[in-house]
Amino acid sequence: MKLFSVRHFAAKHVAATFVSAALVLSPVAGGAETLKKINISYQPSLYWALPFYIAAEKGWWKQVGLDPTFVTFPAGAPQVAAAQAGSWDVGGTGSVPAVLGAARFGLVTVGITNDESKTNAMMTRADKVEAIKKDPASLKGQKLLLTTNSTVDYAARNCLAKWGLKAGEMQFVNLGQAQIISAMMANNGDVVGVWAPHTYTLEEKAGAKVLCSGADAGAMVPGALVARPAFAKDNPEEVAKVLAVYVRGWSWAKAHPKEAREMAKRFYAAGGVEASDNAIDQEFALRPTYSLAEENRLMDRAKGASELDGWLSRIGGFMAEVGTIPASPDPKTYVDDSFMKKVAAAPKLKAFATEFDKTN
């Protein structure tokens, strides 16, 4: 676990920070309001965490009255464990860890980071792809290096099911993503499960190709915005402010594609990942993100279960099936759309969140 202040994001790029003329006096937070300290968690060098970085670079946290400290984790399972210990308040994680946290201690899902179905994938060496696709049964008995209890674990198991294989017919080897990359680079692993941007690293440096992604297997893999249950209950306004900053980040990125790509490269580099221009372009092309209106639509239960409920129910079912959790929790018990609705219902906060959004 690593701790970073906003200065970790912004110190080298002070000149890039700006305050919109429409928001100079922080109308959302109040001009002289004391900033509320908050701990925000994410996983470094991942596309869905980019809005946190953009917000720090642009000075947006202060505009909503927040003073964040950032807590980073290499994967979702340790991130969820740290939330249970109270190490962070609001953050982003994969949908599998989000369900795990919900089942174990009531972690609340308050939004969606992105659709990462195409960027959680099984990969192998380029010269093996066609042979495996023609005869998936050839995978029986082989090792599959991946990070368990993660979105790529979910994607990989769906890929195996698509090919008529049972998960037990491969040897699952639980490794961190950096370890998986090192193993494949050293020819110590032929079939792996990774998420972006590691997929691009293996393509460019190990000659690997995608064998099957979550999207190929028909598995929707959303990322989740989450909050500790106690913090969400006691600080609903602060949770809403984080969500407003987050959706503002994506709409700003869509309105400023060139600068957003440059910032993504810097953000990845700060986390130890040197991403090529091609890798960054793929991130923006392959991972849909959502506006404030889209977030609320995907969580809307006016006509029954929401679209997000359906996605997470399938993920919960997978986790119960493999024994990670005893039973799939009902999304209605942990997906709470009230915080995103709060953003849309507060005129000043909504104006802040949607300033760059051309769809509203």
Side-chain angles (χ1 to χ4, degrees):
M1 179 178 73
K2 298 179 180 178
L3 295 174
F4 296 98
S5 70
V6 169
R7 289 183 292 279
H8 161 71
F9 278 159
K12 294 184 179 179
H13 307 289
V14 174
T17 302
F18 79 101
V19 178
S20 167
L23 297 165
V24 168
L25 297 180
S26 286
V28 177
E33 185 175 328
T34 301
L35 300 181
K36 169 81 173 183
K37 293 187 179 297
I38 186 170
N39 294 324
I40 296 176
S41 77
Y42 70 96
Q43 296 163 39
S45 302
L46 292 187
Y47 181 69
W48 56 254
L50 182 59
F52 297 140
Y53 176 74
I54 294 173
E57 291 281 273
K58 299 296 183 183
W60 295 343
W61 295 108
K62 185 176 181 180
Q63 289 181 254
V64 295
L66 298 178
D67 178 18
T69 294
F70 296 96
V71 191
T72 65
F73 299 86
Q79 184 181 11
V80 166
Q84 190 167 8
S87 297
W88 54 268
D89 305 314
V90 182
T93 193
S95 46
V96 171
V99 175
L100 178 66
R104 291 187 175 173
F105 76 101
L107 189 69
V108 183
T109 292
V110 295
I112 309 163
T113 58
N114 74 138
D115 172 358
E116 49 197 49
S117 308
K118 294 180 180 179
T119 56
N120 280 267
M122 290 178 65
M123 300 185 73
T124 190
R125 303 184 190 285
D127 59 358
K128 298 179 180 291
V129 171
E130 290 307 315
I132 292 174
K133 285 185 175 181
K134 288 180 180 178
D135 181 21
S138 64
L139 290 172
K140 291 182 179 180
Q142 290 195 44
K143 292 181 179 179
L144 172 58
L145 313 185
L146 50 61
T147 305
T148 56
N149 290 331
S150 70
T151 49
V152 77
D153 188 352
Y154 176 62
R157 290 173 188 268
N158 275 275
C159 286
L160 294 179
K162 171 192 172 185
W163 294 324
L165 299 176
K166 296 179 180 179
E169 292 180 306
M170 291 196 75
Q171 300 178 50
F172 279 56
V173 180
N174 181 26
L175 295 172
Q177 293 284 285
Q179 293 173 298
I180 293 169
I181 291 173
S182 297
M184 198 166 197
M185 297 279 286
N187 292 315
N188 290 327
D190 285 333
V191 185
V192 302
V194 289
W195 54 71
H198 309 303
T199 47
Y200 318 129
T201 298
L202 291 180
E203 284 178 343
E204 295 171 1
K205 297 185 177 180
K209 295 293 182 185
V210 170
L211 185 59
C212 174
S213 69
D216 294 330
M220 174 61 184
V221 187
L225 291 164
V226 292
R228 282 194 301 111
F231 185 85
K233 179 181 178 181
D234 295 339
N235 302 275
E237 301 297 334
E238 280 66 35
V239 175
K241 288 175 181 179
V242 173
L243 297 182
V245 169
Y246 190 84
V247 296
R248 176 182 172 92
W250 281 137
S251 61
W252 178 89
K254 290 174 183 177
H256 303 83
K258 184 176 184 296
E259 187 179 353
R261 282 162 172 74
E262 292 169 353
M263 292 180 76
K265 287 195 73 172
R266 295 201 298 269
F267 173 54
Y268 284 24
V273 174
E274 297 299 328
S276 67
D277 289 341
N278 179 63
I280 295 296
D281 286 342
Q282 287 192 73
E283 289 282 69
F284 280 84
L286 296 176
R287 305 175 74 143
T289 59
Y290 306 107
S291 68
L292 176 61
E294 290 169 331
E295 291 272 358
N296 278 308
R297 178 183 63 79
L298 290 168
M299 290 192 287
D300 182 37
R301 295 190 176 113
K303 296 181 180 179
S306 71
E307 199 160 351
L308 179 59
D309 289 342
W311 297 340
L312 295 179
S313 289
R314 287 187 283 276
I315 290 170
F318 139 75
M319 295 176 70
E321 182 180 341
V322 301
T324 302
I325 54 179
S328 176
D330 184 346
K332 291 181 181 178
T333 66
Y334 67 91
V335 177
D336 189 340
D337 66 350
S338 67
F339 305 98
M340 200 68 76
K341 284 181 176 177
K342 190 179 290 289
V343 178
K348 289 182 179 179
L349 196 58
K350 180 180 180 181
F352 173 83
T354 62
E355 181 182 1
F356 305 101
D357 186 355
K358 308 302 181 184
T359 67
N360 278 276

